[in-house]
Amino acid sequence: MPASIEAQINAIYRNESRRVRATLIRLLKDFDLAEEATQDAFAAALQQWPTDGVPNNPRAWLVSTGRFKAIDHVRRRARFQTALMDIADALEAAISDSEEWDEDRLEDDQLRLIFTCCHPSLAPEAQLALTLREVCGLTTEAIARAFLTTPSTLAQRIVRAKHKIRDAKIPYEIPSRSELPARLDAVLQVIYLVFNEGYSASSGNELIRQELAQEAIRLGRLVAELLPEAEALGLLALMLIQDSRHHARLDAQGDLIRLEDQDRTLWNREQIAEGAALIQRALPTGEAHSYCIQAAIALLHAEAPHFAETDWREIAGFYDLLLRINPSPIVELNRAVAIAMRDGPAAGLALIDALLARGQLNDYHLAHAARAELLQQLGEQPAAITAFETALSLTQQATEQRFLQRRLALLK
């Protein structure tokens, strides 16, 4: 196989496989059958494209091929279970070529899938787990780590959610406008989780999975167009501003560059300006939503000409507000860092120590890394080394591991 064709297929798999699977889930109305059909479609591409060339619309080709592969698969099984022949006939009759090749419909299929996975009849933890697996393509092991549970327990949760969708005949569709507000929070939370996994991967060799971050932004735009409420606009603004820095976050070797050391000329000013405009649209509603506040904090970082000119007093004030409306240990940790920048490392360290003393975030590597940085600033080198070592033992991410190892080497 020509190397260029193989590289193209690998790139299409990275960027399009989740969308292909989402469309096949809608068409086939079966998660597992759609997963198998997606793999079969890419296997067919590996065989045919080196000879025939890459089609003009690879995604539509893959959807069409996957659909026929699935129907063939069901027909083969029908030899042993005659009831499946009716299912195969129904699948073939229900899918028209015009629907299959409708680009607008294909574009919206991931959003349809998110709304399906976030249906209110599913438990909240099942909604998140199923979406991260089916929309993001995260492994069961990675999701289990995020949920602090075992892969087997997480897998059972996902299987039960799929069966619920099938047995309750939950439709693969974007709900009506009257139903959207009740479903919005769960969908926004899932899109934010998708973005976070792209912005800072929970495990693996690559810290940034840009294709996931871009997909989350694309989905965020669709939701903001469907329902331009303050929280949807705020989330889109937050993602745009955070993503604006991605070219400056890693060096040529793929190692992490801290915010204070980043080359700010590499930040995408168009995305920052778009995020600022979205915040201005959201603020007049008079409602203080979590995503809007986080976006405002991100904007203060983005608009500072230099790290030394960051308005930490304003940022700490926003964290005070965020803690009141969305109390969580992560918000407390970020607030502690902001207060350390405003009032000195001892003030921030006291807050982090109190947080850890309550038994919260003891297994969160960034809490120990932040504590280590403050201890180092206070000249407490042995304690800083211990804290860095704890952080290193807790992270599953190769880029962060290298960063913490460098910090430890400097101290030692």
Side-chain angles (χ1 to χ4, degrees):
M1 179 188 303
S4 60
I5 295 289
E6 185 175 7
Q8 286 184 66
I9 294 174
N10 288 336
I12 290 168
Y13 185 85
R14 286 195 305 273
N15 296 323
E16 300 287 357
S17 61
R18 291 181 299 279
R19 297 190 195 184
V20 170
R21 184 170 61 246
T23 297
L24 287 170
I25 288 171
R26 169 175 61 83
L27 296 175
L28 302 172
K29 296 178 173 53
D30 185 298
F31 282 88
D32 296 330
L33 185 59
E35 175 66 34
E36 187 174 351
T38 302
Q39 299 303 321
D40 287 344
F42 276 97
L46 285 169
Q47 290 182 340
Q48 296 181 36
W49 291 3
T51 303
D52 301 341
V54 178
N56 292 331
N57 191 332
R59 195 193 325 167
W61 188 98
L62 290 161
V63 168
S64 179
T65 301
R67 163 206 160 184
F68 285 114
K69 293 284 186 183
I71 292 171
D72 288 345
H73 177 72
V74 174
R75 289 197 186 283
R76 285 196 301 272
R77 288 169 55 199
R79 289 181 296 176
F80 308 100
Q81 191 175 348
T82 55
L84 290 175
M85 187 61 74
D86 294 335
I87 295 174
D89 291 340
L91 281 175
E92 196 158 24
I95 306 169
S96 68
D97 285 341
S98 61
E99 178 184 44
E100 167 193 332
W101 293 92
D102 183 345
E103 190 65 22
D104 290 338
R105 193 167 176 83
L106 293 182
E107 279 293 326
D108 288 348
D109 275 333
Q110 280 200 292
L111 191 58
R112 286 186 181 86
L113 182 56
I114 287 179
F115 275 105
T116 301
C117 293
C118 293
H119 195 276
S121 66
L122 301 176
E125 63 273 15
Q127 294 177 11
L128 294 176
L130 185 61
T131 309
L132 291 172
R133 180 70 188 91
E134 298 301 329
V135 179
C136 301
L138 299 187
T139 65
T140 303
E141 290 75 16
I143 304 169
R145 282 196 297 271
F147 278 77
L148 302 179
T149 188
T150 63
S152 60
T153 299
L154 197 283
Q156 290 172 2
R157 189 179 297 170
I158 291 173
V159 168
R160 285 196 298 269
K162 289 179 179 179
H163 288 170
K164 176 82 171 182
I165 290 171
R166 182 195 64 200
D167 297 340
K169 294 183 170 56
I170 293 173
Y172 295 85
E173 63 184 20
I174 297 170
S176 66
R177 189 166 187 81
S178 63
E179 297 175 304
L180 277 173
R183 306 271 291 276
L184 186 62
D185 284 349
V187 169
L188 293 180
Q189 185 180 9
V190 164
I191 290 174
Y192 191 32
L193 285 171
V194 175
F195 177 79
N196 281 338
E197 185 62 28
Y199 181 80
S200 184
S202 57
S203 61
N205 293 323
E206 296 181 358
L207 178 68
I208 300 172
R209 296 181 61 186
Q210 189 60 19
E211 76 280 3
L212 275 185
Q214 288 301 310
E215 188 59 30
I217 290 171
R218 188 185 73 84
L219 294 171
R221 288 191 192 281
L222 290 175
V223 173
E225 290 170 6
L226 277 171
L227 200 67
E229 301 288 341
E231 59 264 51
L233 298 174
L235 175 58
L236 180 55
L238 173 61
M239 293 190 296
L240 286 167
I241 296 168
Q242 294 285 65
D243 183 67
S244 71
R245 299 197 295 264
H246 83 265
H247 286 301
R249 293 178 60 216
L250 301 176
D251 64 18
Q253 288 73 45
D255 287 328
L256 183 65
I257 302 174
R258 294 188 300 178
L259 179 63
E260 53 262 47
D261 299 323
Q262 289 177 15
D263 180 354
R264 299 189 175 214
T265 64
L266 297 177
W267 292 1
N268 188 322
R269 293 294 161 185
E270 290 184 5
Q271 284 187 214
I272 294 169
E274 184 182 357
L278 286 165
I279 293 171
Q280 289 301 315
R281 282 179 61 193
L283 289 178
T285 64
E287 300 177 67
H289 289 284
S290 172
Y291 297 125
C292 294
I293 297 170
Q294 291 179 70
I297 292 170
L299 185 61
L300 284 169
H301 284 293
E303 291 184 336
H306 305 284
F307 183 77
E309 297 177 57
T310 305
D311 190 343
W312 290 106
R313 184 172 300 279
E314 187 79 5
I315 289 173
F318 272 125
Y319 274 120
D320 289 341
L321 177 59
L322 186 59
L323 192 59
R324 287 200 296 272
I325 68 169
N326 186 32
S328 78
I330 298 295
V331 174
E332 285 191 66
L333 175 63
N334 290 331
R335 175 178 175 271
V337 172
I339 287 175
M341 297 301 299
R342 184 190 69 185
D343 299 338
L349 181 63
L351 293 171
I352 294 176
D353 283 345
L355 190 60
L356 294 172
R358 298 203 307 266
Q360 295 178 298
L361 301 185
N362 285 338
D363 295 328
Y364 186 50
H365 69 284
L366 292 180
H368 296 281
R371 184 172 182 271
E373 295 284 357
L374 298 179
L375 286 165
Q376 183 184 5
Q377 291 174 31
L378 291 168
E380 299 184 29
Q381 306 298 83
I385 289 172
T386 300
F388 271 128
E389 289 174 339
T390 302
L392 181 59
S393 71
L394 292 170
T395 183
Q396 304 283 332
Q397 218 295 315
T399 306
E400 291 183 333
Q401 288 171 346
R402 292 197 303 273
F403 172 79
L404 292 170
Q405 286 163 351
R406 290 200 309 274
R407 300 295 292 156
L408 270 169
L410 286 172
L411 277 174
K412 291 180 177 179

